[in-house]
Amino acid sequence: MKKLLFTLLLVFVAMTGQTQTKVWNDIVTSFTNASIAKVTQVAFYNDRTELSFHIDYRAGQRIGMNENTYLLADGKQYAIKDATVLKLGEQYTLTTDTLDFKLIFEPVPQNVQSVYMVEPNGWQIGNIRSASILPQGIIDTYWRDEATGDWLIGFAKDHVIYQNAVWDIANIKEKKDAYTFTLLISNMPGVRCAFLSKDFSLKAKIVKVSKMKKGLRTITIDDGKPVTCSPITTASLPDYPTKDTRIGFVDNGFRMGDSVTIIGWLKNMPPGLLEQAPEFTVHYDNILTGSQESVYTKLDSLGRFTLKMPLMNTSEVYVDWGRSTVSSVLEPGKTYFLLHDFWTGQKLWMGDDVRVQNELQAQALSRAKNNGVEVPYYEKNIDLMAYWARCDSVRLLQEANLKAVQRSHPTLSQRFLDYESGYYRIRQGRNMMQASLCVQNSSVPREYVDYVGENFWKKAPKPYTLHGDFTTLNNNFINQAELNKGSVDIAVVLRRFEKEGKLVLTDEEKTIVARYEKELPQVLANINAAETEEEKQSIADAFNTSETITQFDALLKRNISLLDTFGFLNLMDLVDSLGGDRKLRDIILAQRMIQRIDGTRTPLDSTILAFAEENIQLPAALTPVKALNDKYLAIQQRDISKLPSLKTADDVANMSAGEEILRKLIEPYKGKIILLDVWGTWCSPCKEALSHSQEEYERLKDYDLIFLYLANRSSDESWKSVIKEYEVMGDNVVHFNLPYGQQQAIEHFLNVTGFPTYKLIDRDGTILDVNADPRNLEALARLIEQLK
């Protein structure tokens, strides 16, 4: 009987042994090429090892997993056996924007510290491990001050990160897991002379690290007090130990000359990554130009950098996008240190008050999840009222998610919570105004625009650069508000200027204005009462050629410079009526003037420039207007009237058929390959492409090409200005700015549907059906090589 019981016991132990597991739930990984996939759990069984994945992608996209995928642990490979949801070796089409599945491998020993997943020619996910596993030794470890929660120090093989700098290890002594480091300041360019404070000693520093006890070490710097530290094992800094109730961010009033310094280390980059992108870049939305600006600096051979960049005010920034991909906020006057360790997968901030930066990084996945439920604004014929309701529900869901995050992380700072809440509100306002651009054949409801104005534009967190999306929200909202306000009759404008003393009208001119104001309402009434379009047009033509309009137009032309300021004056009144403050009004005025200069590529009229100097009080807004104006004033003064590249339309003066006109234009160049560029001075992508003209000419110089440019709807002044600005000139360069009708006829013949449009014409004059876009120079060069 005892023998039977003993045998049954052995069987029971064996059976239970098969079900015993070790599970990693708090997963951290190194840099991966599978950014859409997140490892959520690793479960070790006696007969298998399972990796659980969560994917954020798009419905309709396809993923797959090769049958030769394996795990690598302690130098040994463990082959894949099966998968849930997916079928190994086959493609799977996502039915939703998310997917959860498992990959099942041969059993990996449960005592491993990390595993590496390898899909040959596919996914590579390295250093998959549990954040609960404490580090062994000191190399590639990072330590936080237990009392403050801040990242204090980090140790690498030959360097130590401390006080926003990378120090060289001059000497290291180890005794039973206790360490003594002698440090010297690194030779990292710029750190020694530019960014160390006056009281930062350049003598050697001594760092003493005690033996780890109960997961903690004490770290002593020189003769300072010992600091109790815990290892940072998570991908970002853990929750701070206490609540921070401060509110608001630095607002310098858009003071000119402010800057921020980012020092950092992109550590342990995979082979080739530094060569592919040798620069560290910070992107931000320029509130004055509406475009994204980039500031960059070179990385050294280890991936270290120092970047001091101008900063108008506290701003949302996008750091090392596409590689580190960090979205954060920077405050002027501060110094930050950013670490991205590609092997440990950690992204940590050190420096002047970096709590919000670390919290934003720690909650990045939560923000991404919340963004994923936003409604696309690019739908056609969108029902704005239904869209409005849906956007509200999305934001309420986002705010509910934020409260759930707050409950899970009760010490999150108030500034972080306010920043996230503000982000959701500005994002909704931005999306709603973008959606308003998609409405076809109908106006945008006034209550829709008013809702955005009252709840998002007017209540935007300050400073206005705090959230990058405010730039788009602001531009679209103001444009729509102008449409809702409607146009102002020009006679009213004249009366206003006369009342304000800006315009003096003679008695005869007053009579002309009065006659115009008296006749116009009756003409409009007659047009409305007319039964046919022909009648309406006849009435309008008669009025437009009348003595009243002739005299009134002459009056307007005499005062055109003054009247040109009215649009900006009207804009000022609008912003004031909507509740915008003076700084925002100055920013909006500057935006509009910069848009005018950039759009026409010509300087402002002297009257408008004087208006700007009188009404824009904010130097940070006025200075870029004047700088851009000076640039195009200098370009305007450059004479290219005798440039051989500029051609007249004399040879096609009496032609109207598009094909006939084009054949005549290219006739002198028969026997050569022609690259035709249809563009316009109003077209931003066209001008961006033209800015690379000299690079294009140099790359294609061996092919004996003619570069033929046809401008669409461009004034002569703007046309020449762009040509001068980007040096679109040369012996083989030809420019035409044809009359509108002839240009339209050519575009109709070529079936031009967008700008820029490129066509390649062979030596016989045949227009080829090929992609001749010079923005992909290498592909174009290969195409032309085939023609040779």
Side-chain angles (χ1 to χ4, degrees):
M1 186 65 178
K2 288 183 178 180
K3 184 176 181 180
L4 177 60
L5 289 174
F6 182 70
T7 301
L8 291 173
L9 180 60
L10 289 177
V11 172
F12 177 76
V13 170
M15 291 177 62
T16 56
Q18 289 294 324
T19 60
Q20 288 178 352
T21 62
K22 180 179 180 180
V23 178
W24 295 346
N25 287 312
D26 44 357
I27 303 297
V28 187
T29 69
S30 70
F31 180 75
T32 174
N33 64 358
S35 58
I36 62 170
K38 175 178 172 57
V39 181
T40 57
Q41 185 185 80
V42 180
F44 297 87
Y45 294 84
N46 288 342
D47 62 343
R48 67 193 186 281
T49 297
E50 294 181 354
L51 266 65
S52 298
F53 287 84
H54 174 81
I55 288 206
D56 287 305
Y57 211 13
R58 295 186 304 278
Q61 296 296 312
R62 304 177 74 191
I63 63 169
M65 189 60 55
N66 293 335
E67 295 171 298
N68 56 350
T69 302
Y70 60 89
L71 292 180
L72 185 65
D74 292 338
K76 184 177 178 181
Q77 294 184 12
Y78 299 86
I80 194 167
K81 298 169 60 179
D82 202 355
T84 63
V85 184
L86 308 179
K87 187 173 182 180
L88 298 180
E90 296 183 6
Q91 291 291 304
Y92 175 84
T93 302
L94 274 71
T95 57
T96 64
D97 291 340
T98 62
L99 179 68
D100 294 288
F101 64 94
K102 294 181 181 180
L103 298 181
I104 303 163
F105 296 85
E106 294 175 340
V108 176
Q110 296 185 15
N111 61 349
V112 298
Q113 300 292 300
S114 67
V115 296
Y116 198 124
M117 196 196 89
V118 179
E119 181 191 20
N121 301 316
W123 290 5
Q124 308 282 316
I125 306 177
N127 202 13
I128 305 169
R129 64 199 188 279
S130 170
S132 62
I133 299 176
L134 296 177
Q136 303 296 311
I138 201 72
I139 303 304
D140 286 336
T141 65
Y142 309 101
W143 300 81
R144 70 189 302 229
D145 184 329
E146 278 287 282
T148 66
D150 286 318
W151 173 31
L152 177 68
I153 197 166
F155 299 94
K157 181 181 178 182
D158 299 310
H159 304 89
V160 169
I161 304 168
Y162 177 65
Q163 289 188 334
N164 296 349
V166 179
W167 298 72
D168 293 327
I169 298 176
N171 184 47
I172 180 173
K173 296 179 182 178
E174 179 184 1
K175 185 177 181 180
K176 296 181 179 180
D177 193 39
Y179 304 86
T180 300
F181 294 86
T182 303
L183 307 180
L184 296 175
I185 189 65
S186 171
N187 61 1
M188 183 176 169
V191 173
R192 184 192 298 272
C193 61
F195 303 115
L196 297 180
S197 61
K198 293 180 180 179
D199 59 349
F200 196 110
S201 175
L202 294 182
K203 70 179 182 180
K205 284 194 174 293
I206 306 299
V207 178
K208 295 181 180 180
V209 183
S210 74
K211 182 177 180 180
M212 186 182 288
K213 294 181 180 179
K214 297 182 179 180
L216 301 174
R217 295 182 187 269
T218 58
I219 299 177
T220 306
I221 313 294
D222 288 337
D223 297 326
K225 293 182 179 180
V227 180
T228 301
C229 295
S230 59
I232 304 170
T233 58
T234 47
S236 52
L237 203 66
D239 290 354
Y240 280 75
T242 58
K243 180 80 173 177
D244 180 359
T245 58
R246 291 177 299 156
I247 59 174
F249 291 84
V250 170
D251 188 345
N252 64 1
F254 297 95
R255 181 176 61 244
M256 294 187 64
D258 265 352
S259 63
V260 66
T261 299
I262 309 177
I263 305 167
W265 192 357
L266 307 186
K267 185 169 170 277
N268 296 324
M269 276 190 282
L273 198 56
L274 176 60
E275 290 73 20
Q276 293 173 19
E279 295 167 340
F280 173 84
T281 307
V282 176
H283 305 287
Y284 64 93
D285 293 307
N286 188 318
I287 195 170
L288 293 173
T289 65
S291 60
Q292 191 172 87
E293 304 285 343
S294 300
V295 185
Y296 59 88
T297 187
K298 288 286 187 181
L299 297 166
D300 73 5
S301 60
L302 295 180
R304 299 175 298 179
F305 62 89
T306 297
L307 175 64
K308 185 174 183 179
M309 57 178 279
L311 200 69
M312 282 186 66
N313 213 327
T314 297
S315 301
E316 182 177 14
V317 295
Y318 314 98
V319 179
D320 198 43
W321 212 249
R323 178 169 51 193
S324 297
T325 310
V326 173
S327 175
S328 197
V329 59
L330 302 180
E331 298 180 275
K334 296 193 175 183
T335 298
Y336 303 93
F337 188 99
L338 172 64
L339 169 79
H340 181 188
D341 188 328
F342 286 77
W343 175 241
T344 66
Q346 293 172 296
K347 300 174 187 178
L348 306 173
W349 289 91
M350 176 188 287
D352 302 342
D353 192 11
V354 292
R355 176 162 181 161
V356 168
Q357 287 74 23
N358 279 312
E359 289 176 334
L360 283 169
Q361 187 58 42
Q363 301 302 326
L365 289 176
S366 174
R367 170 184 277 202
K369 179 180 178 182
N370 289 340
N371 284 345
V373 296
E374 290 190 358
V375 186
Y377 55 80
Y378 45 77
E379 299 176 11
K380 299 296 183 182
N381 295 317
I382 193 169
D383 181 340
L384 285 182
M385 304 308 283
Y387 182 82
W388 171 5
R390 193 172 173 195
C391 280
D392 274 344
S393 67
V394 166
R395 178 172 49 80
L396 292 174
L397 176 60
Q398 291 172 328
E399 291 177 350
N401 288 341
L402 182 60
K403 289 181 179 179
V405 170
Q406 183 181 5
R407 287 192 295 271
S408 301
H409 306 271
T411 63
L412 280 170
S413 69
Q414 190 60 46
R415 295 207 308 161
F416 166 81
L417 297 171
D418 291 344
Y419 187 82
E420 286 295 277
S421 179
Y423 173 83
Y424 300 143
R425 299 184 72 82
I426 293 299
R427 188 74 175 177
Q428 176 176 346
R430 178 252 193 197
N431 283 351
M432 287 181 67
M433 293 315 304
Q434 286 284 88
S436 70
L437 303 178
C438 300
V439 177
Q440 298 179 350
N441 303 321
S442 61
S443 60
V444 179
R446 182 173 293 274
E447 60 266 36
Y448 182 95
V449 181
D450 289 346
Y451 180 79
V452 172
E454 284 297 319
N455 292 278
F456 308 127
W457 181 82
K458 191 174 180 180
K459 297 178 181 178
K462 295 182 178 61
Y464 294 111
T465 49
L466 188 60
H467 297 286
D469 283 330
F470 179 75
T471 299
T472 303
L473 161 60
N474 180 54
N475 288 340
N476 291 339
F477 172 72
I478 291 298
N479 290 341
Q480 188 59 54
E482 284 183 299
L483 290 175
N484 287 351
K485 184 178 180 181
S487 60
V488 178
D489 187 83
I490 193 66
V492 175
V493 177
L494 291 172
R495 297 288 190 196
R496 173 174 175 172
F497 281 151
E498 183 184 30
K499 182 179 180 180
E500 294 175 351
K502 297 177 181 178
L503 174 66
V504 177
L505 296 175
T506 66
D507 289 342
E508 181 183 0
E509 289 173 332
K510 291 179 181 178
T511 301
I512 293 171
V513 174
R515 192 164 70 246
Y516 169 83
E517 290 181 301
K518 179 180 179 181
E519 294 179 11
L520 180 62
Q522 185 59 53
V523 171
L524 293 176
N526 292 341
I527 289 175
N528 288 332
E531 295 183 356
T532 67
E533 290 299 322
E534 289 76 8
E535 289 181 85
K536 294 178 186 290
Q537 189 63 51
S538 176
I539 297 169
D541 290 344
F543 183 61
N544 288 334
T545 56
S546 67
E547 182 181 2
T548 298
I549 290 298
T550 300
Q551 292 179 336
F552 189 72
D553 281 348
L555 171 60
L556 296 181
K557 289 178 181 178
R558 289 194 294 273
N559 297 280
I560 190 65
S561 295
L562 177 62
L563 294 174
D564 205 18
T565 66
F566 178 73
F568 297 105
L569 185 63
N570 201 36
L571 183 62
M572 289 172 55
D573 292 345
L574 175 65
V575 175
D576 290 343
S577 69
L578 293 171
D581 60 30
R582 181 59 190 259
K583 284 188 175 65
L584 183 56
R585 192 181 81 181
D586 283 0
I587 289 170
I588 292 172
L589 275 176
Q591 284 175 340
R592 191 60 62 85
M593 291 184 179
I594 288 172
Q595 289 168 4
R596 163 88 63 98
I597 299 170
D598 183 67
T600 63
R601 285 305 206 265
T602 58
L604 297 171
D605 180 274
S606 59
T607 305
I608 298 178
L609 188 60
F611 178 89
E613 292 174 332
E614 177 185 353
N615 291 282
I616 301 177
Q617 295 182 357
L618 190 64
L622 179 61
T623 299
V625 172
K626 296 176 69 175
L628 191 63
N629 195 74
D630 289 345
K631 172 184 173 179
Y632 286 102
L633 186 61
I635 290 174
Q636 186 183 61
Q637 293 170 350
R638 180 182 170 191
D639 183 17
I640 62 168
S641 58
K642 297 180 180 180
L643 186 72
S645 295
L646 300 186
K647 304 295 183 180
T648 69
D650 294 347
D651 290 343
V652 294
N654 299 316
M655 299 180 183
S656 58
E659 182 175 8
E660 181 187 15
I661 298 169
L662 182 61
R663 295 297 177 195
K664 186 65 176 178
L665 296 182
I666 66 175
E667 188 178 83
Y669 314 108
K670 194 168 184 180
K672 294 180 179 291
I673 298 173
I674 300 172
L675 178 60
L676 174 62
D677 183 343
V678 184
W679 67 289
T681 59
W682 45 267
C683 165
S684 294
C686 300
K687 289 180 285 191
E688 167 59 26
L690 290 176
S691 70
H692 300 283
S693 293
Q694 289 301 316
E695 176 187 348
E696 179 183 344
Y697 300 157
E698 177 63 25
R699 177 64 182 87
L700 303 177
K701 64 182 180 182
D702 297 331
Y703 298 111
D704 194 25
L705 293 179
I706 294 295
F707 297 90
L708 174 60
Y709 299 90
L710 301 181
N712 169 285
R713 291 183 291 118
S714 300
S715 72
D716 190 69
E717 188 179 19
S718 296
W719 175 57
K720 291 178 180 177
S721 183
V722 173
I723 292 170
K724 288 184 282 186
E725 179 180 5
Y726 296 129
E727 295 290 333
V728 193
M729 310 170 188
D731 295 338
N732 58 341
V733 175
V734 180
H735 288 281
F736 284 97
N737 192 13
L738 299 171
Y740 176 76
Q742 290 185 320
Q743 178 68 23
Q744 286 292 98
I746 291 177
E747 291 176 12
H748 180 72
F749 167 65
L750 294 174
N751 194 30
V752 172
T753 57
F755 298 87
T757 287
Y758 302 100
K759 298 290 183 180
L760 201 60
I761 304 174
D762 71 11
R763 290 182 174 86
D764 296 324
T766 302
I767 302 169
L768 305 177
D769 185 16
V770 295
N771 181 6
D773 195 332
R775 289 172 293 187
N776 188 341
L777 262 180
E778 294 308 313
L780 178 58
R782 289 193 297 271
L783 179 62
I784 297 172
E785 184 68 32
Q786 293 173 4
L787 292 180
K788 283 183 64 178

